[in-house]
Amino acid sequence: MTVKSMTVKNPPPKSITTKSATVMIQGTTSDAGKSMLVAGFCRCLKNSDFRVAPFKPQNMALNSAVTKDGGEIGRAQAVQAQAAGVEPSVHMNPVLLKPSSDTGAQVIIHGKAVSDMQAKKYHDYKQVAMQAVLNSHQRLSDEYDVIVVEGAGSPAEINLRKGDIANMGFAEAVDCPVIIVADIDRGGVFAQLVGTLDLLSESEQNRVVGFVINKFRGDIKLLESGLTWLEDRTKKPVLGVLPYIHNLQLAAEDAIQAEQNLDEQNIRIHICVPVFKRISNHTDFDMLRVHPEVKLTFVAQHSSIPPCDLIILPGSKNVRADLALLKEMHWDKALQRHLRYGGKVLGICGGYQMLGQSIADPNGIEDTPGISEGLGFLPITTQLQAQKQLTQSHGDLLIQQGGSAPIRGYEIHIGTSVRADNARPMILLNNGEYEGCISDDNQVAGSYLHGLFDSPLALQQLLSWAGANTKLAEDYAAQQEHEIERLAQVCQEHLNWDAIHAIIEQQFTAPPFSSAATHSKKGA
C-alpha cells in the first residue's frame, strides 16, 4: 500500500439521516494521541456539516473545566466540544475521577462529586457508573449525528478488563466500531498495535476497524513496507499516518506541557511554578507558556526555585498535603527569600489557600481531619467544606491601583476563605461580590479563579503587576481555535476520510455494528 492512495483532501458531505453513529478512538498507551485525534475528528466532521459531539465515558485527570450549568468535566472534553462547535456538557464526560492519593480519588458523576473512593470500592461501584455512562451516551445520540468517543489509557490492560467502562467494555455495550491510535515517536509502533490487538477478545478484535499512526517524522516512503506488513498481518486497514505537529498548543488532558519556543532577547519576565504532587488545572499556565515574552519554568519536586520575577502557587487536589510537601521541599524558605528581594507571589485556588494564615479540614474532606498553618502571606483563613463550588465567573481585575481589566474564568474548589475586614480584594465579580486578596505591600496576591491569564487585558495587567511591560496577547479561546484548525487541516490531509465516512454511514443504514462486522469477516 501507499500512503498517498489513502489521502482525501476534503471529507465527504453528510447524508441526510435521523440516526446517530458512534466511533470510538482507543490508544495503545496513555498519551498516544486519543484526545488530539478526537478533537481533529470533531472539527473535520463539523466542517462536513455533521452535528458532532465528543464523549469520554470515564476520565481520570486533575485538569477539569466547568460547564455553563455548573458541572465539572475533563478539560480535554471542553476543548473537543469547542472543536465540534458545541457547548460543553456534563454528558460529554459522565464519569470523572480526580486522584487525591495514590489509591483514592474523588468520583464525579454527571458533573457533581458523589464520593471519595479507594480503588477497590470504585471497582465495585462501576456498575452504577456504567449506567450513568450509557444514559449520557443515549442523550447525546438523541441530539447529535455522530458521537466521537475517547478511550482511556489502553484497552489491553489485563488487570482492568473486568467491569471496564472506559474502553472495550463501553464499545461492546453500545456496539460501536473502534479505531486504535499509536504514537510512533515512542518507538515500537508495530509491536504496540499488533500486541494490543492480540490481547483483545475475538468480539473486540472484530470491532476494530483500523489503525492511525501518530507523530511520524521523516520520509513516509520508508514506512510504507511496514504499513503493508501491518495490514497483511492484522487484516485491518491503516486509516492514516499523522505527521508530528510541532508546537501544537492544545490544552493537555493531564501531562504538564513545559516546552517553549522563545527568543531570549524578547523575554521580559521569568515566572516559576512549583509542581505539587497533586497539582490541578495546570492549563492555567498555557497562555503564559505560549507568550513570546514570558519564560515559564515548572519546578520539579526536590529542585530549588531559581531566581525569577514571579512565583505562582498552582491549584491542588489535596491542599494540606501539598502544603506540607512545599515546606518539606523548603520552598517556603525560597518564597520568603524571593519576597525579600522584591519578587511577587501569586496563588491560584489551592495555592491561594496556602498563602493564608490557616487551612482547616475538620471533617477530613481531602485527607485526615486537622488544621494546617499556612504560609502567612495573606490575611485570609480557609475552611474546607463538602460542597464543591463550581461556577463560571467574570468581572474586573483590581490588582493595579487606579485601574482594572476585564477577566473571566471558572471556580472549582471545596474551601471557603475569609478575608480580614481591611484586606484588599483582587477581583470584583459581576454579581457585585469581591474575590481574592492582595497583601498590604502589594507583593502577594491570590484568587480562586482559574483562567486568570486567559483574558488578554487581565494577562497584561498581571504581568505589569509582576514588573513586566509586555505586548497584548491573544485571547485564550482564539488561541485554542487557531490550534484546533491547525490540527484539523493535518487530519483532513492525512486521514482516509472515504473509509472513515463509510464507517459512519454503515451505522446509519446497516444492522448493529457487531452483526455487520461478523458478517464481513465470514465473507472475507
Side-chain angles (χ1 to χ4, degrees):
M1 67 163 292
T2 62
V3 176
K4 183 178 179 182
S5 68
M6 60 185 197
T7 296
V8 177
K9 292 292 184 181
N10 294 298
K14 171 202 163 191
S15 302
I16 296 175
T17 179
T18 57
K19 286 188 176 182
S20 147
T22 296
V23 178
M24 188 169 193
I25 310 294
Q26 297 182 11
T28 57
T29 62
S30 294
D31 204 30
K34 297 182 293 292
S35 298
M36 179 205 72
L37 192 56
V38 169
F41 264 55
C42 285
R43 177 51 59 93
C44 289
L45 291 170
K46 172 185 178 292
N47 290 344
S48 290
D49 296 326
F50 284 93
R51 294 174 302 157
V52 60
F55 185 72
K56 183 153 186 169
Q58 175 186 284
N59 197 348
M60 178 176 281
L62 289 175
N63 280 340
S64 56
V66 177
T67 62
K68 187 174 285 187
D69 57 357
E72 190 175 3
I73 63 173
R75 187 76 178 175
Q77 281 63 66
V79 175
Q80 292 160 358
Q82 182 177 350
V86 297
E87 186 71 31
S89 162
V90 296
H91 295 293
M92 294 172 183
N93 178 205
V95 180
L96 175 61
L97 307 178
K98 302 188 77 171
S100 53
S101 69
D102 290 342
T103 59
Q106 184 180 64
V107 179
I108 297 167
I109 304 292
H110 291 152
K112 301 298 181 184
V114 296
S115 180
D116 284 278
M117 298 185 189
Q118 294 298 303
K120 187 179 184 309
K121 182 179 178 182
Y122 178 70
H123 183 76
D124 297 336
Y125 183 80
K126 278 186 178 180
Q127 285 187 335
V128 176
M130 180 58 128
Q131 193 56 55
V133 165
L134 296 177
N135 289 343
S136 288
H137 177 260
Q138 185 59 56
R139 289 188 60 154
L140 295 179
S141 297
D142 291 341
E143 187 175 351
Y144 296 97
D145 302 317
V146 184
I147 314 300
V148 186
V149 185
E150 178 186 342
S154 162
E157 301 290 353
I158 303 302
N159 58 309
L160 300 177
R161 298 291 298 281
K162 185 178 179 181
D164 170 57
I165 68 174
N167 290 300
M168 284 297 179
F170 169 80
E172 296 262 86
V174 302
D175 195 17
C176 73
V178 172
I179 296 169
I180 298 181
V181 59
D183 179 357
I184 195 172
D185 199 49
R186 294 170 178 258
V189 71
F190 299 112
Q192 290 179 47
L193 290 167
V194 173
T196 297
L197 191 66
D198 186 60
L199 289 172
L200 302 179
S201 70
E202 183 180 2
S203 64
E204 293 167 348
Q205 290 174 355
N206 288 340
R207 68 180 60 258
V208 175
V209 293
F211 305 125
V212 171
I213 293 176
N214 186 32
K215 294 186 180 179
F216 177 74
R217 310 179 197 233
D219 186 348
I220 194 69
K221 286 185 170 52
L222 298 178
L223 186 65
E224 288 178 355
S225 62
L227 302 180
T228 300
W229 175 90
L230 180 65
E231 292 188 337
D232 290 344
R233 170 69 181 261
T234 64
K235 303 300 185 286
K236 307 288 184 184
V238 176
L239 298 173
V241 177
L242 297 178
Y244 193 103
I245 307 175
H246 292 276
N247 206 32
L248 183 67
Q249 304 292 347
L250 280 179
E253 170 136 286
D254 217 14
I256 294 177
Q257 293 180 305
E259 182 181 349
Q260 287 189 281
N261 185 18
L262 292 175
D263 182 342
E264 294 289 331
Q265 294 182 341
N266 291 335
I267 295 174
R268 298 288 180 269
I269 184 172
H270 183 195
I271 299 174
C272 286
V273 179
V275 178
F276 301 142
K277 186 174 183 179
R278 297 298 172 192
I279 185 174
S280 65
N281 289 78
H282 53 71
T283 49
D284 281 337
F285 310 111
D286 282 356
M287 291 307 291
L288 295 176
R289 186 170 51 82
V290 301
H291 197 297
E293 298 172 306
V294 175
K295 178 181 178 181
L296 180 65
T297 300
F298 288 100
V299 182
Q301 294 174 37
H302 303 286
S303 298
S304 299
I305 299 177
C308 60
D309 304 291
L310 171 65
I311 298 174
I312 305 177
L313 301 186
S316 166
K317 185 61 187 70
N318 194 327
V319 64
R320 290 176 60 226
D322 276 341
L323 175 59
L325 173 70
L326 181 151
K327 294 177 180 178
E328 180 186 335
M329 297 296 104
H330 302 295
W331 286 340
D332 54 337
K333 303 293 192 302
L335 288 169
Q336 293 168 359
R337 183 171 60 251
H338 172 78
L339 290 170
R340 283 200 304 271
Y341 282 95
K344 296 293 180 75
V345 174
L346 177 67
I348 301 175
C349 199
Y352 169 45
Q353 295 173 343
M354 293 178 193
L355 292 173
Q357 305 301 310
S358 63
I359 303 170
D361 187 3
N363 300 313
I365 301 299
E366 284 191 339
D367 210 325
T368 55
I371 185 168
S372 297
E373 182 180 355
L375 297 171
F377 296 138
L378 289 176
I380 64 169
T381 56
T382 298
Q383 180 163 316
L384 305 187
Q385 301 168 335
Q387 186 64 37
K388 183 181 285 192
Q389 301 295 316
L390 294 166
T391 57
Q392 292 183 354
S393 303
H394 65 274
D396 293 308
L397 177 67
L398 308 176
I399 202 162
Q400 290 284 54
Q401 294 278 14
S404 66
I407 195 167
R408 148 181 323 272
Y410 57 99
E411 295 182 38
I412 303 176
H413 58 93
I414 59 171
T416 298
S417 297
V418 178
R419 290 186 308 274
D421 290 341
N422 60 346
R424 178 179 156 205
M426 181 173 165
I427 297 170
L428 173 60
L429 297 173
N430 62 300
N431 62 6
E433 296 182 0
Y434 287 103
E435 199 277 325
C437 186
I438 305 171
S439 63
D440 289 341
D441 62 9
N442 201 38
Q443 280 189 266
V444 183
S447 168
Y448 275 117
L449 202 65
H450 292 287
L452 280 174
F453 308 111
D454 294 351
S455 303
L457 289 173
L459 170 56
Q460 189 178 46
Q461 191 173 106
L462 283 161
L463 295 178
S464 176
W465 170 75
N469 181 19
T470 58
K471 297 176 183 177
L472 196 64
E474 189 176 25
D475 177 81
Y476 181 72
Q479 183 267 342
Q480 289 289 282
E481 183 66 20
H482 177 263
E483 297 301 293
I484 289 169
E485 277 298 314
R486 281 183 64 205
L487 171 62
Q489 288 172 15
V490 171
C491 290
Q492 183 170 303
E493 181 177 351
H494 293 278
L495 294 177
N496 186 343
W497 285 101
D498 281 336
I500 295 168
H501 191 78
I503 292 166
I504 293 170
E505 286 291 327
Q506 174 186 316
Q507 296 180 71
F508 293 150
T509 58
F513 175 78
S514 58
S515 301
T518 302
H519 176 75
S520 173
K521 186 180 181 186
K522 288 178 179 177

